[in-house]
Amino acid sequence: MTRATCSPEELKTLFLFEKLGDDQLQTLCENGHVEWIEPGPVYAEGEPATCFYVLIEGEMVMSKLSGGEDIEISRTSQSGVYSGAWQAYLGDRASQTYPASARVLVPSRFFVLDADVFGTLVRDWFPMAVHLLEGLFFGNQSSRQIVDQRERLLALGSLSAGLTHELNNPAAAAVRATSSLRDRVSHMRRKLGVIASGVYDHDTIATLIRLQEEAAELVAKAPTLTPMEAADREDELGEWFDERGISGGWDLAPSFVQAGIDVGWLNKVSAGVDNDEILESAIRWLNYTIETELLMNEIADSTTRVSTLVDAAKQYSQMDRAPYQRADLRELLNSTLVMLGRKIGGSITVVKEYDQSLPAIPMYAAELNQVWTNLIDNAVASMEGVGTLTIRTRRDGEQALIEVGDTGPGIPEDIRTRIFEPFFTTKPVGQGTGLGLDISWRIVVKKHHGSLRVDSQPGQTVFQVRIPIEPRVEEAPVAETTDTIAE
């Protein structure tokens, strides 16, 4: 870098300073300086913002990091464009780091002003403008935080309602099964009283106990039948009961079929009892056993479902876990699918294609769950309840690639570049805030140094999230700022 003479007359030719008075131009020259900078970097994204730069002649490029790559965002040779510490007038209330990188392509001449001096001069010379800019900057920041919070609360309310519904179903099933089980146990107690009265001889009792154990084992191994197969077997058992004069046999048949019992096994019961007079009593005794086993299975299934939902909710919220840690993407995606199960519904086919070799990666897990929620929720909404939702993970170089695809109508090309803008939404008024994808983009790009993009055509829309498998530096919350080459 080589310093050159600063001329107030030359500064006045730059659009940024053309309205300043002679004394102000002189003050700029006294407090700043002109530098020739050779081709190469001027400053790097994330470094402390120490200087305010105004291009006098030459060519410069601005770039930002995305997914570990340096992406060019602007290139200009127009005299007067500025960059660097242009938010210095906000002081400590805003992040004072370079939010982008700058480099020059040819030997270039800049007017350079120390950030603190620039901030002081702007506040002294343009107090009204500073107040307006502060209101705009902090007002937008506050509005975004409020709407962000509301967006999260709305999502949480929707998930809570869905989770409550999902929990209520197995809980109610367990209550119903418990009530029925109590009734069956009561009947079994009365049947034990009949047995104790001496109606059955010792050999018959021994046979019934053995058959009871067999029936319980059959329930545990019962095959899954199609509705047609189940109906055919119920007809066979119903006829078998009728032939032996067992009253209400057609009501008993469904339980026996559900337990995997066929006519052959019932013939074995008939032969073991060897007394047609007590066959019906034996069949009903075995029916109590079968129904008891089936009800206990139902209770076990219901309580397991409740436990699974609670575990999914805990995984989704990352309760009792550090905010930044290594986590398994499959677990996060599965827990999100469970939480959104009610909203996805039964008419949408969910296809999961997970790369089993993908390692746990460092992340803010709870915030990434919010990303999956937003992407899956949008995919489901676009399909209007019918279609295929595809969740896919795989390794892409040094990054983990997560894809959320749907078979909806697609995103029109004319709005595809705007979907990540804050407050932009295609949903009707009152149904969307337009912040879901903006929040997702900031979580992926700002906090995880990854990338979020979309590829869409009618019948196939895929959102791609890339996250570094190994962080290049120790992660820390990243301030949300934007940079521009203003004119």
Side-chain angles (χ1 to χ4, degrees):
M1 297 183 183
T2 304
R3 296 204 175 195
T5 303
C6 177
S7 165
E9 290 76 16
E10 184 176 45
L11 292 184
K12 193 174 183 64
T13 65
L14 305 177
F15 69 84
L16 186 62
F17 303 133
E18 62 185 359
K19 298 298 183 181
L20 297 182
D22 293 340
D23 291 343
Q24 292 173 314
L25 293 169
Q26 184 61 40
T27 299
L28 288 177
C29 275
E30 291 174 355
N31 288 276
H33 61 275
V34 174
E35 281 186 9
W36 277 99
I37 300 179
E38 294 300 316
V42 180
Y43 55 79
E45 180 179 352
E47 291 180 347
T50 57
C51 293
F52 175 71
Y53 293 86
V54 182
L55 181 65
I56 299 175
E57 61 177 298
E59 185 176 8
M60 67 181 298
V61 169
M62 302 293 295
S63 62
K64 287 183 69 67
L65 288 172
S66 177
E69 298 182 14
D70 201 37
I71 307 300
E72 181 178 321
I73 59 175
S74 180
R75 178 185 296 237
T76 184
S77 57
Q78 181 178 355
S79 298
V81 298
Y82 58 89
S83 66
W86 60 275
Q87 290 188 146
Y89 59 86
L90 296 173
D92 294 337
R93 292 172 295 172
S95 174
Q96 297 301 329
T97 59
Y98 293 120
S101 299
R103 69 180 189 277
V104 294
L105 304 178
V106 298
S108 303
R109 194 158 56 98
F110 288 87
F111 173 70
V112 184
L113 194 61
D114 181 80
D116 291 337
V117 174
F118 171 69
T120 299
L121 292 178
V122 171
R123 288 191 294 270
D124 289 346
W125 291 352
F126 313 107
M128 182 177 177
V130 169
H131 287 310
L132 292 172
L133 290 171
E134 285 179 341
L136 178 65
F137 181 84
F138 294 112
N140 283 343
Q141 189 177 65
S142 176
S143 297
R144 175 175 286 188
Q145 289 174 348
I146 292 171
V147 180
D148 275 7
Q149 186 179 31
R150 176 168 174 76
E151 179 85 3
R152 291 185 173 94
L153 288 173
L154 288 172
L156 179 60
S158 177
L159 289 172
S160 297
L163 181 61
T164 301
H165 177 81
E166 293 292 334
L167 286 170
N168 182 66
N169 286 340
V175 170
R176 290 193 301 270
T178 301
S179 176
S180 298
L181 180 60
R182 182 176 291 110
D183 179 68
R184 299 305 184 274
V185 172
S186 174
H187 282 82
M188 289 184 73
R189 286 199 299 267
R190 290 197 291 270
K191 185 62 68 175
L192 281 173
V194 174
I195 293 174
S197 67
V199 174
Y200 303 120
D201 58 35
H202 180 273
D203 291 339
T204 300
I205 292 175
T207 299
L208 283 175
I209 292 174
R210 176 176 55 79
L211 292 172
Q212 185 182 39
E213 293 297 327
E214 287 186 19
E217 293 176 4
L218 287 172
V219 172
K221 301 175 183 178
T224 301
L225 303 176
T226 65
M228 185 64 71
E229 290 172 335
D232 290 343
R233 290 199 181 187
E234 287 176 14
D235 288 342
E236 292 175 2
L237 296 190
E239 291 174 0
W240 191 92
F241 292 137
D242 276 352
E243 291 170 0
R244 285 153 184 80
I246 297 175
S247 62
W250 290 94
D251 294 328
L252 300 176
S255 296
F256 281 82
V257 170
Q258 192 175 352
I261 291 173
D262 56 16
V263 169
W265 193 83
L266 288 178
N267 287 332
K268 186 165 62 173
V269 173
S270 179
V273 172
D274 198 25
N275 186 337
D276 290 341
E277 294 181 0
I278 61 173
L279 177 59
E280 180 171 350
S281 182
I283 289 294
R284 294 195 180 281
W285 166 256
L286 292 173
N287 183 59
Y288 292 144
T289 299
I290 291 169
E291 288 186 335
T292 299
E293 290 294 325
L294 292 174
L295 287 168
M296 286 193 293
N297 286 346
E298 185 176 346
I299 292 171
D301 289 343
S302 299
T303 53
T304 299
R305 174 64 177 163
V306 170
S307 178
T308 300
L309 288 167
V310 172
D311 286 343
K314 186 175 181 181
Q315 174 69 31
Y316 179 85
S317 65
Q318 292 295 298
M319 189 184 302
D320 301 329
R321 298 194 179 195
Y324 185 77
Q325 62 171 6
R326 289 186 179 273
D328 190 330
L329 283 170
R330 291 168 296 180
E331 293 181 358
L332 301 186
L333 291 166
N334 284 335
S335 67
T336 304
L337 288 171
V338 171
M339 295 295 289
L340 293 174
R342 184 187 179 200
K343 181 170 289 188
I344 294 172
S347 298
I348 290 180
T349 301
V350 179
V351 177
K352 295 185 287 186
E353 299 177 3
Y354 295 157
D355 182 352
Q356 302 299 322
S357 65
L358 196 63
I361 63 175
M363 64 177 76
Y364 295 90
E367 297 196 28
L368 278 181
N369 275 340
Q370 188 176 1
V371 174
W372 316 141
T373 299
N374 290 335
L375 296 183
I376 293 173
D377 185 59
N378 285 347
V380 171
S382 72
M383 292 186 286
E384 297 182 347
V386 180
T388 300
L389 173 69
T390 302
I391 312 295
R392 183 182 295 112
T393 67
R394 62 182 174 88
R395 185 170 188 138
D396 183 16
E398 298 304 312
Q399 297 178 314
L401 171 62
I402 303 92
E403 294 183 330
V404 177
D406 66 72
T407 55
I411 302 172
E413 188 174 355
D414 59 334
I415 66 169
R416 207 170 296 165
T417 58
R418 300 189 59 200
I419 60 174
F420 296 110
E421 294 178 7
F423 306 108
F424 178 80
T425 179
T426 59
K427 296 178 181 178
V429 176
Q431 294 186 21
T433 62
L435 284 175
L437 289 178
D438 171 56
I439 292 172
S440 299
W441 187 89
R442 282 186 278 133
I443 290 172
V444 172
V445 177
K446 295 282 189 177
K447 298 203 72 170
H448 291 85
H449 305 292
S451 65
L452 173 58
R453 63 181 299 272
V454 63
D455 182 18
S456 181
Q457 56 187 336
Q460 184 178 14
T461 297
V462 179
F463 280 86
Q464 294 182 325
V465 177
R466 285 178 171 84
I467 301 172
I469 293 176
E470 292 295 339
R472 298 164 70 175
V473 295
E474 184 178 355
E475 299 290 348
V478 181
E480 295 180 3
T481 59
T482 57
D483 192 29
T484 183
I485 298 179
E487 299 184 359

